[in-house]
Amino acid sequence: MSRYEVTIEKDACDGIFACLTRDPRFVEGEDGLATIDPGADPVYDCEGEVTDNAERVVATFDDDRIDEARQAAAACPTDAIIVEEVGE
């Protein structure tokens, strides 16, 4: 399993939501922009730590779903999503 971090830069997000179709952990936030909800996936139980502030959303996961997060990032037309493996 990989430990990885998913970051959504709010200034770059236009609320197009292409990410939502690639990874169900991405959802529409109250501000109309993409955010991350580890519990939003109806199929897989998922745990993650999410920090949401005025500039960005940062979620850290330790599972085997990094490829789904990368697909969501690749689908973002504004490049607002960054997925990086992180050390323990």
Side-chain angles (χ1 to χ4, degrees):
M1 285 196 273
S2 299
R3 183 168 173 81
Y4 58 98
E5 194 171 84
V6 180
T7 303
I8 302 172
E9 295 293 341
K10 290 185 178 183
D11 286 347
C13 181
D14 280 343
I16 297 167
F17 305 121
C19 56
L20 277 64
T21 63
R22 305 308 195 283
D23 186 334
R25 296 173 291 181
F26 287 82
V27 296
E28 182 176 355
E30 291 181 17
D31 57 4
L33 302 176
T35 191
I36 301 170
D37 178 358
D41 190 327
V43 177
Y44 299 101
D45 286 334
C46 184
E47 293 183 17
E49 299 173 22
V50 179
T51 303
D52 189 340
N53 62 40
E55 291 85 32
R56 66 188 51 87
V57 177
V58 180
T60 305
F61 297 99
D62 190 3
D63 58 33
D64 60 355
R65 298 180 64 197
I66 190 170
D67 287 337
E68 290 176 53
R70 286 180 175 151
Q71 289 174 11
C76 180
T78 62
D79 295 326
I81 303 168
I82 302 162
V83 179
E84 299 176 305
E85 286 192 60
V86 294
E88 296 295 320

